[in-house]
Amino acid sequence: MSQMPRPTAMSTCPSCEEPVESGDRFCGACGYDLSAVPAPPDDLPAVTPAADGAVPAENSAVDWPSAPELDSSDTPAPVHLPTDLQGTDSGGSELPSAVRFDGVPEQAGESAAGDYTLPAPDPRTAPPESFATPPAGTKLCVACRAGQVDRDGYCENCGHAQPRERDHMEQELGAVAAVSDRGLRHHRNEDAFAIASAALPDGTPSVVSIVCDGVSSATRPDEASLAASRAASEALLESLPRGTHPQQAMHDAIVVAAEAVNALAQEPGSAHEHAPHQNAPACTLVGAIVAKDLLIVGWVGDSRAYWVPDDRTAPAARLTEDDSWAAQMVAAGLMNEAEAYADERAHAITGWLGADAYELEPHTASFKPDRPGVVVVCTDGLWNYAEAAEEMARVIPADAAHRPLHSAQVLVGHALDGGGHDNVTVAVLPFPVPPAGAGSA
């Protein structure tokens, strides 16, 4: 916006800014006393522009440095950058000479105390050579793949909590495979499994799987399931090669597993933890043995075993009966199966392994399938999402006998997709035992 130049003499009233004449003593609009306005001082230095428009140095109040003129080569004068000047930090100390990426001094004997170390590189953008091989025995973070994991299970670089070993477990052993997952709602995995193979006295192979589900309302259920699965598997691997009948071996293995769980309640280290209002460590157990033309199952609790033939036109079958409130109601004829399992008390178990269990009654059963198929051994974290044998047969892949590990992964994924409300554990055993060397592709 353009403005007209104003004369040096006062032409408006300082109070109302109305125009005034040069000789007026009072403002004609507001009556302001114009004589009260101080006159400009007479001792200000006169600034007379030079012919080239520059202000002489003697008339300037500040001693401004003159920029050097160009020489005959027309080379510009040097420019000083802020980094050319040595500064200090807020404490008055000299600033570090460089920012280091590795924290190693440039010269021998030089201290790196004043250098800045940068965090581990971002795995999404950094090249692979940016990551150094960690020392033996250290763990890398599963999230950033750069920081090391401390003793508390957290990454020292990004702070991410690391998954525990039992949160997800997979194992394949020739003709048998098992997968266990924490699920989407539980804070830990209280399931456990054990798979193994053993040679019978005549040299023919046998395959064993044990699946245990810790009772969440009991103390240390994760330890109970682990102790039971290991004890039962070790007992079978000892008795089967000696020629013990597989069904008797399964019965004895369940008794040994119960003793291992009972022993947890007697440990001195748990005396302060096991208060009177708490239950002793407890778990359920289901196991299967494939030996020659026999299929043996054994169980205590509500974990289950299913038979799924390779020919899906043939019927599938559930091989176990739950030790649960719902099963008792159905057996007594008080409810049908749909009504019983819809009740909130359905999953209250009536049989388990533990020091406070009722009289132990291991269940065993022997079958002679007339066709090839697979045995699915699982906890209720799976069969809650495929309860009927027909449902289980629809979920498991058609090539389960040739790819047991892949089939176990599919079954666990089915439970997680359904909500994953509980820990999920499943073992898949082909029947009959495939020849040596056959397994998952």
Side-chain angles (χ1 to χ4, degrees):
M1 177 176 170
S2 301
Q3 294 182 345
M4 294 291 292
R6 294 187 177 182
T8 56
M10 183 174 58
S11 59
T12 59
C13 172
S15 175
C16 64
E17 297 187 350
E18 286 292 323
V20 296
E21 299 294 335
S22 60
D24 291 343
R25 296 182 56 191
F26 298 92
C27 175
C30 66
Y32 185 84
D33 186 3
L34 300 177
S35 62
V37 178
D42 298 332
D43 57 348
L44 285 179
V47 179
T48 305
D52 56 358
V55 179
E58 59 271 19
N59 294 333
S60 175
V62 180
D63 186 14
W64 296 103
S66 299
E69 297 180 357
L70 300 179
D71 56 16
S72 58
S73 63
D74 292 335
T75 302
V79 178
H80 292 284
L81 300 176
T83 54
D84 296 337
L85 303 177
Q86 182 65 34
T88 59
D89 60 16
S90 59
S93 304
E94 292 186 359
L95 294 175
S97 58
V99 177
R100 307 217 41 98
F101 286 82
D102 53 5
V104 180
E106 292 183 356
Q107 299 178 357
E110 178 184 351
S111 173
D115 293 343
Y116 298 102
T117 57
L118 298 181
D122 188 339
R124 297 167 297 182
T125 58
E129 55 270 16
S130 301
F131 303 102
T133 302
T138 60
K139 294 182 179 180
L140 282 181
C141 174
V142 300
C144 69
R145 302 300 302 171
Q148 297 182 12
V149 179
D150 61 18
R151 297 179 60 183
D152 295 328
Y154 291 87
C155 175
E156 296 177 345
N157 175 50
C158 67
H160 189 90
Q162 304 301 296
R164 286 163 291 196
E165 182 181 0
R166 290 179 64 177
D167 281 358
H168 185 88
M169 300 178 291
E170 297 185 2
Q171 186 179 2
E172 183 179 25
L173 185 61
V176 60
V179 177
S180 181
D181 192 272
R182 177 172 59 91
L184 305 179
R185 302 296 182 89
H186 280 230
H187 70 283
R188 65 180 175 184
N189 190 358
E190 297 170 355
D191 289 356
F193 68 81
I195 58 176
S197 61
L200 300 178
D202 61 358
T204 57
S206 65
V207 177
V208 172
S209 70
I210 301 293
V211 169
C212 296
D213 184 357
V215 179
S216 297
S217 59
T219 306
R220 297 151 60 201
D222 53 331
E223 297 181 31
S225 62
L226 185 62
S229 62
R230 288 178 174 176
S233 177
E234 291 171 359
L236 290 172
L237 292 181
E238 181 181 353
S239 60
L240 288 174
R242 293 202 314 259
T244 306
H245 190 279
Q247 189 167 358
Q248 182 63 45
M250 177 63 76
H251 179 279
D252 296 343
I254 295 176
V255 173
V256 171
E259 294 173 352
V261 178
N262 294 348
L264 294 177
Q266 308 302 324
E267 291 180 358
S270 64
H272 67 281
E273 181 183 3
H274 184 55
H277 64 277
Q278 291 179 318
N279 297 326
C283 69
T284 68
L285 182 149
V286 62
I289 303 173
V290 175
K292 295 184 178 180
D293 58 346
L294 283 181
L295 167 59
I296 309 297
V297 295
W299 73 96
V300 173
D302 62 349
S303 294
R304 294 180 176 180
Y306 291 84
W307 162 255
V308 180
D310 289 348
D311 180 6
R312 299 304 165 85
T313 61
R318 196 177 89 194
L319 305 179
T320 57
E321 293 292 337
D322 299 342
D323 289 324
S324 67
W325 179 91
Q328 283 190 345
M329 294 298 102
V330 175
L334 300 177
M335 291 183 178
N336 61 40
E337 191 167 350
E339 292 172 340
Y341 282 99
D343 193 283
E344 62 181 6
R345 296 165 291 182
H347 289 277
I349 57 177
T350 58
W352 62 88
L353 306 182
D356 57 358
Y358 303 122
E359 183 177 355
L360 179 64
E361 296 182 3
H363 309 289
T364 61
S366 177
F367 304 91
K368 281 190 175 184
D370 60 352
R371 65 196 68 203
V374 293
V375 185
V376 178
V377 183
C378 63
T379 62
D380 60 346
L382 170 60
W383 66 252
N384 277 329
Y385 301 98
E387 184 172 343
E390 296 77 13
E391 294 179 279
M392 189 68 70
R394 285 195 297 268
V395 174
I396 192 169
D399 61 350
H402 303 287
R403 304 175 67 192
L405 178 58
H406 172 258
S407 300
Q409 294 168 339
V410 170
L411 292 174
V412 170
H414 174 74
L416 297 180
D417 291 342
H421 290 265
D422 200 355
N423 306 144
V424 188
T425 302
V426 57
V428 177
L429 297 82
F431 178 93
V433 178
S440 293

